[in-house]
Amino acid sequence: MAAKTKFRGSFTALVTPFKNGSLDEAAFRSLVNWQISEGTNGLVPVGTTGESPTLNHDEHKKVVEWCIAEAKGRVPVVAGAGSNSTKEAIELSQHAEKAGADAVLVVTPYYNKPTQEGLYQHFKAINDAIGIPIIIYNIPPRSVIDMSVDTMKRLWELKNIAGVKDATASMVRVSQQRAAMGEDFNQLSGEDATILGYMAHGGHGCISVTSNVAPRLCAEFHAAWQKGDTKAALAIHDKLMPLHNNLFIESNPAPIKYAMSLLGKFDETLRLPMVPVSEPTRAAVRSAMVHAGLIN
């Protein structure tokens, strides 16, 4: 039986709070609970927004475990488990399965630039090593490579390949993937700013950076869309659009961590080579948060 998913709505690509150079467990657990209470439909720990590149393996696994423990089955947890080393991605995926994750999010291997056949073999090896669903994370701006629709279609034939986090920002791609794989292929946007168009082209939801700071509004957008209330969805989208833009003026997750500090959730500590945002970006993020009604 294929391990497919029906993830819908707003899934938060969680930030990872730090304190005195270490993981801030209390702040992270508090963030998980706040997200769920605000209506978030699912949680995605230790993706790029969670600064996975600068977490060691023990820290990565702890964050996944804390997220699952704190969520207590109230919403699905899709654990970040990607790597440009297939062996490492398998290890992280196996840990996520053992910890109780509902699925894993596996990014296309960055920097070493595999061919389409290499991409297929990478994901097939992970598929063969675990028994929970895999969401392909296709993000050409960060990984440099773009998984083709044809490669996705080949992978869709495997038992655990369930869908895609699509950060191509291409509306055409959503329709092409629907045509190739059908409605059951779980399509989640990885680009907050394009979510309205993404849903209109047949998408199912979003793995969102913005929903870290605006979880209720992001969840309300998806609820309105699912009810067919496009007017309400557009109004919420307009409210959030400056945030969708301004949270990416500098490299994610520096702006979103600053935004979270403005809400008093935790401070904006990052790990090098990430650094706090500049004053012009601070002003832009503050302005967008005021526009969204999150702060005065």
Side-chain angles (χ1 to χ4, degrees):
M1 175 64 71
K4 305 308 180 191
T5 55
K6 290 189 180 293
F7 297 145
R8 298 290 185 272
S10 181
F11 278 57
T12 302
L14 294 166
V15 294
T16 302
F18 299 121
K19 191 173 187 178
N20 301 321
S22 300
L23 301 176
D24 188 342
E25 181 178 356
F28 181 79
R29 286 180 179 266
S30 176
L31 173 62
V32 167
N33 279 303
W34 180 63
Q35 286 285 323
I36 295 170
S37 69
E38 290 288 290
T40 292
N41 304 113
L43 300 170
V44 185
V46 283
T48 314
T49 305
E51 290 176 82
S52 58
T54 52
L55 267 58
N56 64 38
H57 283 196
D58 286 344
E59 289 173 326
H60 183 118
K61 292 171 182 177
K62 278 180 186 173
V63 173
V64 169
E65 289 164 8
W66 295 340
C67 188
I68 293 163
E70 209 59 42
K72 298 182 176 74
R74 289 174 288 171
V75 297
V77 174
V78 182
S83 173
N84 60 346
S85 158
T86 305
K87 183 179 179 183
E88 190 173 279
I90 288 171
E91 180 194 340
L92 294 173
S93 297
Q94 288 175 331
H95 169 265
E97 179 177 21
K98 187 176 179 183
D102 296 277
V104 288
L105 179 69
V106 178
V107 71
T108 49
Y110 39 88
Y111 194 75
N112 43 12
K113 295 173 69 175
T115 61
Q116 294 298 312
E117 182 61 25
L119 285 174
Y120 176 82
Q121 294 298 338
H122 174 80
F123 280 90
K124 184 180 184 302
I126 301 164
N127 171 86
D128 294 349
I130 62 172
I132 58 173
I134 298 165
I135 303 295
I136 299 161
Y137 184 11
N138 192 31
I139 180 165
R142 277 196 187 254
S143 66
V144 188
I145 49 169
D146 183 0
M147 182 184 286
S148 70
V149 178
D150 287 343
T151 301
M152 256 179 229
K153 188 175 181 181
R154 286 181 69 198
L155 286 168
W156 175 234
E157 295 169 3
L158 303 176
K159 67 182 175 71
N160 293 319
I161 302 296
V164 64
K165 177 185 177 184
D166 183 340
T168 62
S170 167
M171 299 303 96
V172 175
R173 190 65 67 88
V174 194
S175 296
Q176 290 172 335
Q177 287 160 183
R178 269 175 66 84
M181 277 81 76
E183 169 65 20
D184 288 341
F185 187 68
N186 203 168
Q187 297 205 66
L188 304 167
S189 172
E191 287 283 346
D192 279 296
T194 64
I195 187 58
L196 190 69
Y198 193 89
M199 297 303 285
H201 277 259
H204 299 121
C206 184
I207 296 179
S208 170
V209 173
T210 302
S211 60
N212 276 284
V213 74
R216 186 175 295 276
L217 281 172
C218 289
E220 286 174 350
F221 166 85
H222 287 279
W225 184 270
Q226 287 164 9
K227 284 190 295 188
D229 192 346
T230 54
K231 185 177 179 182
L234 178 59
I236 297 168
H237 185 67
D238 287 344
K239 204 172 183 179
L240 287 170
M241 195 62 194
L243 260 180
H244 293 335
N245 283 327
N246 295 356
L247 288 174
F248 293 92
I249 293 173
E250 294 183 36
S251 296
N252 179 48
I256 190 63
K257 277 203 157 176
Y258 172 63
M260 297 302 284
S261 76
L262 289 180
L263 291 186
K265 295 298 178 186
F266 41 81
D267 67 35
E268 59 178 311
T269 304
L270 300 129
R271 282 187 175 170
L272 287 170
M274 305 305 295
V275 294
V277 292
S278 63
E279 191 50 51
T281 299
R282 289 170 188 269
V285 170
R286 285 196 300 268
S287 172
M289 289 176 71
V290 170
H291 181 85
L294 301 175
I295 57 173
N296 296 323

Coordinates of all heavy atoms in Angstrom, one line a residue, residues 193-250:
A193 N 4.5 34.0 -1.1 CA 4.0 35.1 -1.9 C 3.1 34.7 -3.1 O 2.3 35.4 -3.6 CB 5.2 36.0 -2.5
T194 N 3.3 33.4 -3.5 CA 2.6 32.9 -4.7 C 1.4 32.0 -4.3 O 0.8 31.4 -5.1 CB 3.5 32.1 -5.6 OG1 4.0 30.9 -5.0 CG2 4.6 33.0 -6.1
I195 N 1.1 32.0 -3.0 CA 0.1 30.9 -2.5 C -1.3 31.1 -3.1 O -1.9 30.1 -3.4 CB 0.1 30.9 -1.0 CG1 -0.8 29.7 -0.5 CG2 -0.4 32.2 -0.4 CD1 -0.3 28.4 -0.9
L196 N -1.7 32.3 -3.3 CA -3.1 32.4 -3.9 C -3.2 31.8 -5.3 O -4.1 31.0 -5.6 CB -3.5 33.9 -4.0 CG -4.9 34.2 -4.3 CD1 -5.8 33.8 -3.2 CD2 -5.1 35.7 -4.7
G197 N -2.2 32.1 -6.1 CA -2.1 31.5 -7.5 C -1.9 30.0 -7.4 O -2.5 29.2 -8.2
Y198 N -1.1 29.6 -6.5 CA -0.7 28.2 -6.3 C -2.0 27.4 -6.0 O -2.2 26.3 -6.6 CB 0.3 28.0 -5.2 CG 0.9 26.6 -5.2 CD1 2.1 26.4 -5.9 CD2 0.4 25.6 -4.4 CE1 2.7 25.1 -5.9 CE2 1.0 24.3 -4.4 CZ 2.1 24.1 -5.1 OH 2.7 22.9 -5.1
M199 N -2.8 27.9 -5.1 CA -4.0 27.2 -4.8 C -5.0 27.2 -5.9 O -5.7 26.2 -6.2 CB -4.7 27.8 -3.5 CG -3.8 27.8 -2.3 SD -3.4 26.1 -1.8 CE -4.9 25.5 -1.1
A200 N -5.1 28.3 -6.7 CA -6.0 28.4 -7.8 C -5.6 27.4 -8.9 O -6.5 26.9 -9.7 CB -5.9 29.8 -8.4
H201 N -4.3 27.0 -9.0 CA -3.9 26.1 -10.0 C -4.0 24.6 -9.5 O -3.6 23.7 -10.2 CB -2.4 26.4 -10.4 CG -2.3 27.4 -11.4 ND1 -2.0 27.1 -12.7 CD2 -2.4 28.8 -11.3 CE1 -2.0 28.3 -13.4 NE2 -2.2 29.3 -12.6
G202 N -4.5 24.4 -8.3 CA -4.8 23.1 -7.8 C -3.9 22.6 -6.7 O -3.9 21.4 -6.3
G203 N -3.2 23.6 -6.0 CA -2.4 23.2 -4.9 C -3.2 22.8 -3.7 O -4.4 23.1 -3.6
H204 N -2.6 22.2 -2.7 CA -3.3 21.7 -1.5 C -3.0 22.5 -0.2 O -3.7 22.4 0.8 CB -3.0 20.2 -1.3 CG -3.4 19.4 -2.4 ND1 -2.4 18.6 -3.1 CD2 -4.6 19.1 -3.0 CE1 -3.1 17.9 -4.0 NE2 -4.4 18.2 -4.0
G205 N -1.9 23.3 -0.2 CA -1.5 24.0 1.0 C -0.2 24.6 0.8 O 0.3 24.7 -0.3
C206 N 0.4 25.0 2.0 CA 1.7 25.8 1.9 C 2.5 25.3 3.1 O 2.0 25.2 4.3 CB 1.4 27.3 2.0 SG 2.9 28.3 1.9
I207 N 3.8 25.1 2.9 CA 4.8 25.0 4.0 C 5.4 26.4 4.1 O 6.2 26.8 3.3 CB 5.8 23.9 3.7 CG1 5.1 22.5 3.7 CG2 6.9 23.9 4.8 CD1 6.0 21.4 3.4
S208 N 5.0 27.1 5.1 CA 5.1 28.6 5.2 C 6.1 29.1 6.2 O 6.2 28.6 7.3 CB 3.7 29.2 5.5 OG 3.8 30.5 5.8
V209 N 6.9 30.1 5.7 CA 7.7 30.8 6.7 C 6.9 31.9 7.4 O 7.0 32.0 8.6 CB 8.9 31.5 5.9 CG1 9.7 32.4 6.8 CG2 9.8 30.5 5.2
T210 N 6.0 32.6 6.7 CA 5.2 33.7 7.3 C 4.4 33.2 8.4 O 4.2 33.9 9.4 CB 4.3 34.3 6.2 OG1 5.1 34.8 5.1 CG2 3.4 35.4 6.8
S211 N 3.9 31.9 8.4 CA 3.0 31.4 9.4 C 3.8 31.2 10.8 O 3.1 31.0 11.8 CB 2.4 30.1 9.0 OG 3.3 29.1 8.7
N212 N 5.1 31.4 10.8 CA 5.8 31.4 12.1 C 5.2 32.6 12.9 O 5.0 32.5 14.1 CB 7.3 31.6 11.9 CG 8.0 30.3 11.7 OD1 8.2 29.5 12.6 ND2 8.4 30.0 10.5
V213 N 5.1 33.7 12.2 CA 4.7 35.0 12.9 C 3.2 35.3 12.8 O 2.7 36.1 13.6 CB 5.6 36.1 12.4 CG1 5.2 36.6 11.0 CG2 5.6 37.3 13.4
A214 N 2.6 34.8 11.8 CA 1.2 35.0 11.5 C 0.4 33.7 11.4 O -0.3 33.5 10.4 CB 1.0 35.9 10.3
P215 N 0.5 32.8 12.3 CA -0.2 31.5 12.1 C -1.7 31.6 12.0 O -2.2 30.9 11.1 CB 0.2 30.7 13.4 CG 0.6 31.8 14.4 CD 1.1 32.9 13.7
R216 N -2.3 32.4 12.7 CA -3.8 32.5 12.6 C -4.2 33.0 11.3 O -5.2 32.4 10.6 CB -4.4 33.4 13.7 CG -5.9 33.3 13.8 CD -6.5 34.1 15.0 NE -6.1 33.5 16.2 CZ -6.8 32.5 16.8 NH1 -7.8 32.0 16.2 NH2 -6.4 32.0 18.0
L217 N -3.6 34.1 10.8 CA -4.0 34.6 9.5 C -3.7 33.6 8.4 O -4.5 33.5 7.4 CB -3.2 35.9 9.2 CG -3.8 37.2 9.9 CD1 -2.8 38.3 9.7 CD2 -5.1 37.5 9.4
C218 N -2.6 32.9 8.4 CA -2.3 31.9 7.4 C -3.3 30.8 7.4 O -3.7 30.3 6.3 CB -0.9 31.4 7.6 SG 0.4 32.6 7.2
A219 N -3.7 30.3 8.6 CA -4.7 29.3 8.7 C -6.0 29.8 8.2 O -6.7 29.0 7.5 CB -4.7 28.8 10.2
E220 N -6.4 31.0 8.5 CA -7.6 31.6 8.1 C -7.7 31.7 6.6 O -8.7 31.5 5.9 CB -7.9 32.9 8.8 CG -8.3 32.8 10.2 CD -8.4 34.1 10.9 OE1 -8.0 35.2 10.3 OE2 -8.9 34.1 12.1
F221 N -6.6 32.0 5.9 CA -6.5 32.1 4.5 C -6.9 30.8 3.9 O -7.7 30.7 3.0 CB -5.1 32.5 4.0 CG -4.9 32.3 2.5 CD1 -5.3 33.2 1.6 CD2 -4.3 31.1 2.1 CE1 -5.1 33.0 0.2 CE2 -4.2 30.8 0.7 CZ -4.5 31.8 -0.2
H222 N -6.3 29.7 4.4 CA -6.6 28.4 3.8 C -8.0 27.9 4.1 O -8.6 27.3 3.3 CB -5.5 27.4 4.3 CG -4.2 27.5 3.7 ND1 -3.9 27.0 2.5 CD2 -3.1 28.2 4.1 CE1 -2.6 27.4 2.1 NE2 -2.1 28.1 3.1
A223 N -8.5 28.2 5.3 CA -9.9 27.9 5.7 C -10.8 28.6 4.7 O -11.8 27.9 4.2 CB -10.1 28.3 7.1
A224 N -10.6 29.8 4.4 CA -11.4 30.6 3.5 C -11.4 29.9 2.1 O -12.4 29.7 1.4 CB -11.0 32.0 3.4
W225 N -10.2 29.6 1.7 CA -10.0 29.0 0.4 C -10.7 27.7 0.3 O -11.4 27.4 -0.7 CB -8.5 28.8 0.0 CG -8.4 28.3 -1.4 CD1 -8.3 27.0 -1.8 CD2 -8.3 29.1 -2.6 NE1 -8.2 26.9 -3.2 CE2 -8.2 28.2 -3.7 CE3 -8.3 30.5 -2.8 CZ2 -8.2 28.6 -5.0 CZ3 -8.3 30.9 -4.1 CH2 -8.2 30.0 -5.2
Q226 N -10.6 26.9 1.3 CA -11.2 25.5 1.3 C -12.8 25.6 1.3 O -13.4 24.7 0.8 CB -10.7 24.7 2.4 CG -9.3 24.2 2.2 CD -8.6 23.7 3.5 OE1 -9.2 23.6 4.6 NE2 -7.3 23.5 3.5
K227 N -13.3 26.7 1.8 CA -14.7 26.9 1.8 C -15.2 27.5 0.5 O -16.4 27.7 0.3 CB -15.1 27.9 3.0 CG -15.1 27.2 4.3 CD -15.8 28.1 5.4 CE -15.0 29.3 5.6 NZ -15.5 30.1 6.8
G228 N -14.3 27.9 -0.4 CA -14.7 28.5 -1.6 C -14.9 30.0 -1.5 O -15.4 30.6 -2.4
D229 N -14.5 30.6 -0.4 CA -14.6 32.0 -0.2 C -13.4 32.8 -0.7 O -12.5 33.2 0.1 CB -14.9 32.3 1.3 CG -15.3 33.8 1.5 OD1 -15.2 34.6 0.6 OD2 -15.8 34.1 2.7
T230 N -13.3 32.9 -2.0 CA -12.1 33.5 -2.6 C -11.9 35.0 -2.3 O -10.8 35.5 -2.2 CB -12.1 33.3 -4.1 OG1 -13.3 33.8 -4.7 CG2 -12.0 31.8 -4.5
K231 N -13.1 35.7 -2.0 CA -13.0 37.1 -1.7 C -12.3 37.2 -0.3 O -11.4 38.1 -0.2 CB -14.4 37.7 -1.6 CG -14.4 39.2 -1.4 CD -15.9 39.7 -1.4 CE -15.9 41.2 -1.2 NZ -17.3 41.8 -1.2
A232 N -12.7 36.4 0.7 CA -12.0 36.5 2.0 C -10.6 36.1 1.9 O -9.7 36.7 2.5 CB -12.8 35.6 3.0
A233 N -10.3 35.0 1.1 CA -8.9 34.6 0.9 C -8.1 35.7 0.4 O -6.9 35.9 0.8 CB -8.9 33.3 0.1
L234 N -8.6 36.4 -0.6 CA -7.8 37.5 -1.3 C -7.6 38.6 -0.3 O -6.5 39.2 -0.2 CB -8.6 38.0 -2.5 CG -8.0 39.2 -3.2 CD1 -6.6 38.8 -3.7 CD2 -8.8 39.6 -4.4
A235 N -8.6 38.9 0.5 CA -8.4 40.0 1.5 C -7.3 39.6 2.5 O -6.5 40.5 2.9 CB -9.7 40.2 2.3
I236 N -7.3 38.4 3.0 CA -6.2 38.0 3.9 C -4.9 38.0 3.2 O -3.9 38.4 3.8 CB -6.5 36.6 4.5 CG1 -7.8 36.6 5.3 CG2 -5.4 36.1 5.4 CD1 -8.4 35.2 5.7
H237 N -4.9 37.5 2.0 CA -3.6 37.5 1.2 C -3.0 38.9 1.0 O -1.8 39.1 1.2 CB -3.9 36.9 -0.2 CG -2.7 36.7 -1.0 ND1 -1.7 35.8 -0.7 CD2 -2.3 37.4 -2.2 CE1 -0.7 35.9 -1.6 NE2 -1.0 36.8 -2.5
D238 N -3.9 39.9 0.8 CA -3.5 41.3 0.7 C -2.9 41.8 2.0 O -1.9 42.6 2.0 CB -4.6 42.2 0.2 CG -5.0 42.0 -1.2 OD1 -4.2 41.4 -2.0 OD2 -6.1 42.4 -1.6
K239 N -3.5 41.3 3.1 CA -3.0 41.7 4.4 C -1.6 41.2 4.7 O -0.8 41.8 5.3 CB -4.0 41.2 5.4 CG -4.1 41.9 6.8 CD -5.2 41.4 7.6 CE -5.3 42.2 8.9 NZ -6.5 41.7 9.7
L240 N -1.4 40.0 4.2 CA -0.1 39.3 4.4 C 1.0 39.5 3.4 O 2.1 39.3 3.6 CB -0.4 37.7 4.5 CG -1.1 37.2 5.7 CD1 -1.5 35.8 5.5 CD2 -0.2 37.4 7.0
M241 N 0.6 40.1 2.3 CA 1.6 40.2 1.1 C 2.8 41.0 1.5 O 3.9 40.5 1.1 CB 0.9 40.8 -0.1 CG 1.7 40.6 -1.4 SD 1.9 38.8 -1.8 CE 3.2 38.9 -3.0
P242 N 2.7 42.1 2.2 CA 4.0 42.8 2.6 C 4.9 41.9 3.4 O 6.1 41.9 3.2 CB 3.5 44.0 3.3 CG 2.2 44.3 2.8 CD 1.6 42.9 2.5
L243 N 4.3 41.1 4.3 CA 5.1 40.1 5.1 C 5.8 39.1 4.2 O 7.0 38.8 4.3 CB 4.3 39.4 6.1 CG 4.3 39.9 7.6 CD1 3.4 39.1 8.4 CD2 5.7 40.0 8.1
H244 N 4.9 38.5 3.3 CA 5.5 37.5 2.4 C 6.7 38.0 1.6 O 7.6 37.3 1.4 CB 4.4 37.1 1.3 CG 3.2 36.4 1.9 ND1 3.3 35.6 3.1 CD2 1.9 36.2 1.4 CE1 2.1 35.1 3.3 NE2 1.3 35.4 2.3
N245 N 6.6 39.3 1.2 CA 7.8 39.9 0.5 C 8.9 40.3 1.5 O 10.1 39.9 1.2 CB 7.3 41.2 -0.2 CG 6.5 40.9 -1.5 OD1 6.8 39.9 -2.2 ND2 5.6 41.7 -1.8
N246 N 8.6 41.0 2.5 CA 9.7 41.6 3.4 C 10.4 40.6 4.2 O 11.5 40.9 4.7 CB 9.1 42.7 4.2 CG 8.6 43.9 3.4 OD1 8.7 43.8 2.1 ND2 8.0 44.8 4.0
L247 N 9.8 39.4 4.4 CA 10.5 38.4 5.2 C 11.6 37.7 4.4 O 12.4 36.9 4.9 CB 9.6 37.3 5.7 CG 8.6 37.7 6.8 CD1 7.6 36.7 7.2 CD2 9.4 38.1 8.1
F248 N 11.8 38.1 3.1 CA 12.8 37.6 2.2 C 13.7 38.6 1.6 O 14.4 38.3 0.7 CB 12.1 36.7 1.2 CG 11.5 35.5 1.7 CD1 10.1 35.5 2.1 CD2 12.2 34.3 2.0 CE1 9.5 34.4 2.6 CE2 11.6 33.2 2.5 CZ 10.2 33.2 2.8
I249 N 13.7 39.8 2.2 CA 14.6 40.9 1.7 C 16.0 40.4 2.0 O 16.9 40.6 1.1 CB 14.3 42.2 2.4 CG1 12.9 42.8 2.0 CG2 15.4 43.2 2.1 CD1 12.5 44.0 2.8
E250 N 16.3 39.8 3.1 CA 17.6 39.2 3.4 C 17.3 37.7 3.6 O 16.2 37.3 3.7 CB 18.2 39.8 4.7 CG 18.6 41.3 4.5 CD 19.3 41.9 5.7 OE1 20.1 41.2 6.3 OE2 19.1 43.1 5.9

